Amino acid sequence: QSVLTQPPSVSAAPGQKVTISCSGSSSNIGKNYVSWYQQLPGTAPKLFIYDNNNRPSGIPDRFSGSKSDTSATLDITGLQTGDEADYYCGTWDSSLSAVVFGGGTKLTV
Amino acid sequence: QLQLQESGPGLVKPSETLSLTCTVSGDSISSSSYFWGWTRQSPGKGLEWIASIRYGEDAYYNPSLKSRATISVDTSKNQLSLKLNSVTVADTAVYYCARPCRGGRHDAFDIWGQGTMVTVSS
């Protein structure tokens, strides 16, 4: 049981937009920055969004993040087949003094 | 360019201690303002943070693993280490070392090792 809650799977057609949600609580998302990771099969996770809505260098602007109260979302526009992957949200939990992750969402394009 | 390389035993017997190292190249683990951490992923499962440490400071642990895990820094070898004792099959996972993108933060990992698979089996 993950501290952060994500839908197990989402799907959309190429070119469309998809939103992945991440729900937490006042001790984690409510107080701290949220990050998003993309993980392709057999590879290490890759940071796609940090500090709620910032993209590391090289991440396309088709990917965007937002946060409101105790929830966060990752939006992906102009979906491409190469975007098929598992996506994880993560943050710091101030009550646990620990990094927490969502259970992951499998994106099918 | 910062790179992380994990190494481990591959196979560990139940009840034994798992020992992993992460060799850091491209940065000094002792002079860095960054926390260095371990995260694992069991087969077919999600990410689970284990612990993080900054040189000269106390470590932080996942409450569910705190009683069994020890994270440490070896400055002479520029390595991060993890020991997990009393392992069970539930500890079978790919273990990653990682560094956050901002100093002073525990999360938002932008640098990851390639991971090392550890299987717990008799």
Side-chain angles (χ1 to χ4, degrees):
Chain A
Q1 191 80 358
S2 301
V3 174
L4 305 180
T5 302
Q6 297 181 236
S9 63
V10 295
S11 64
Q16 298 297 305
K17 173 186 173 180
V18 72
T19 296
I20 299 174
S21 62
C22 176
S23 178
S25 69
S26 58
S27 65
N28 43 65
I29 293 179
K31 281 185 178 178
N32 299 292
Y33 290 118
V34 177
S35 305
W36 289 92
Y37 303 86
Q38 179 195 69
Q39 187 177 33
L40 298 171
T43 69
K46 181 178 181 180
L47 184 67
F48 262 53
I49 297 288
Y50 67 97
D51 292 357
N52 302 334
N53 56 15
N54 290 290
R55 288 184 307 275
S57 175
I59 303 303
D61 59 6
R62 300 187 296 107
F63 293 83
S64 63
S66 63
K67 187 184 97 166
S68 177
D69 197 14
T70 60
S71 294
T73 59
L74 173 69
D75 289 325
I76 312 172
T77 60
L79 278 170
Q80 302 175 2
T81 56
D83 297 332
E84 280 203 346
D86 293 324
Y87 291 84
Y88 294 89
C89 58
T91 187
W92 179 254
D93 190 298
S94 300
S95 293
L96 297 174
S97 290
V99 176
V100 292
F101 291 104
T105 298
K106 182 175 181 60
L107 169 62
T108 300
V109 180
Chain B
Q1 180 183 358
L2 177 63
Q3 290 187 318
L4 308 178
Q5 176 75 51
E6 305 92 343
S7 58
L11 180 66
V12 182
K13 289 182 168 55
S15 81
E16 293 188 343
T17 295
L18 164 64
S19 295
L20 300 172
T21 59
C22 172
T23 300
V24 178
S25 58
D27 191 12
S28 171
I29 202 168
S30 61
S31 63
S32 173
S33 64
Y34 291 89
F35 282 93
W36 303 84
W38 288 96
T39 295
R40 70 181 183 179
Q41 186 171 34
S42 299
K45 303 296 185 182
L47 301 172
E48 181 180 32
W49 176 79
I50 301 171
S52 65
I53 189 171
R54 183 161 59 183
Y55 177 68
E57 300 186 19
D58 290 340
Y60 292 77
Y61 293 95
N62 184 323
S64 68
L65 296 169
K66 186 173 184 177
S67 63
R68 298 193 295 125
T70 302
I71 188 173
S72 61
V73 168
D74 185 336
T75 57
S76 65
K77 297 179 180 178
N78 212 36
Q79 288 180 337
L80 179 71
S81 296
L82 177 71
K83 292 187 187 298
L84 187 65
N85 60 37
S86 304
V87 297
T88 70
V89 293
D91 295 311
T92 294
V94 176
Y95 286 75
Y96 297 100
C97 61
R99 195 204 73 175
C101 64
R102 291 194 186 280
R105 295 271 297 273
H106 295 271
D107 63 325
F109 303 105
D110 66 333
I111 307 295
W112 294 74
Q114 88 284 358
T116 185
M117 179 68 201
V118 176
T119 301
V120 179
S121 175
S122 56

